[in-house]
Amino acid sequence: MKNKKFSLKYLLTPDYMFDTFDLVSVDFLRSIGVSALLIDIDNTLAPYEQPEPDERIINWFAALSAAGISASLISNNHPPRVELFNESLGLPAYPDSGKPKSGTLIKAMDKMGSDRSNTAVLGDQLLTDALAAHRLGLKALIVPPIKDKTTLFFKFKRWVEKPYIKRYKKMNEGKR
């Protein structure tokens, strides 16, 4: 029998998909047993060109905090971008995280006092965010990119992701 943990179908298929980050509600997170969230910035919360969080982002993080849900920013972007974006949020933040590697995610969970049973990853890319989550046995919550890059590399990554998004949608027809 093939080990599910090492199957590409498992590693790259999201557990949940949402149209936008703020549709990931406190009630939803509680319903799936999540009390800690590792969150990507670029194209998940804001486009690359938006240097700081807007009111919508700030309010969503305030709702998470008020409900006792811990959050950390996990970004593959560089420190100046992540630090400026996080200035008003004051969250634990990890630039140059190296996703889909898992070391930074483990460090963030340790700092938040969470573990694999109660932590999820929220991002926009299957090859970084979902893969990083599933390599650790975490739930992967995926949103479509806010404003995708148009480089050949990003076009290729999105092409690779298509069958896994299609698989997710087929598996979840009629749910929610």
Side-chain angles (χ1 to χ4, degrees):
M1 183 178 195
K2 204 173 194 180
N3 187 343
K4 177 184 171 185
K5 190 172 184 173
F6 297 105
S7 157
L8 268 182
K9 284 182 182 175
Y10 165 73
L11 290 172
L12 294 179
T13 302
D15 294 299
Y16 303 96
M17 291 189 76
F18 296 86
D19 290 335
T20 61
F21 73 88
D22 53 352
L23 292 177
V24 180
S25 69
V26 167
D27 290 339
F28 170 77
L29 293 171
R30 285 182 176 152
S31 77
I32 63 168
V34 169
S35 59
L37 204 50
L38 306 174
I39 306 162
D40 178 54
I41 296 171
D42 295 314
N43 272 332
T44 299
L45 298 174
Y48 289 93
E49 304 80 30
Q50 183 179 323
E52 298 177 33
D54 57 24
E55 190 174 330
R56 181 175 160 210
I57 294 167
I58 292 168
N59 290 340
W60 182 71
F61 276 109
L64 294 179
S65 179
I69 296 172
S70 303
S72 290
L73 299 175
I74 309 291
S75 177
N76 282 351
N77 212 325
H78 303 299
R81 160 66 168 153
V82 175
E83 290 165 6
L84 178 60
F85 191 86
N86 189 40
E87 201 169 280
S88 65
L89 296 171
L91 298 168
Y94 302 86
D96 294 328
S97 70
K99 294 177 293 183
K101 293 179 186 173
S102 56
T104 302
L105 281 72
I106 292 168
K107 188 187 304 183
M109 287 190 299
D110 286 347
K111 183 166 181 141
M112 292 189 303
S114 67
D115 60 39
R116 296 169 194 223
S117 70
N118 64 359
T119 305
V121 173
L122 172 61
D124 70 300
Q125 294 187 54
L126 302 185
L127 294 173
T128 55
D129 304 308
L131 182 55
H134 286 152
R135 289 181 72 215
L136 289 173
L138 306 176
K139 292 172 181 69
L141 317 179
I142 299 295
V143 296
I146 294 169
K147 183 179 176 189
D148 217 356
K149 287 185 174 180
T150 57
T151 64
L152 188 58
F153 176 68
F154 271 83
K155 286 180 180 182
F156 176 74
K157 283 173 56 168
R158 297 304 182 191
W159 177 78
V160 169
E161 293 176 346
K162 276 184 181 181
Y164 300 100
I165 291 171
K166 187 176 180 178
R167 180 175 187 265
Y168 169 83
K169 289 178 178 178
K170 186 174 182 177
M171 288 171 40
N172 290 282
E173 283 178 321
K175 292 183 185 175
R176 281 212 277 148

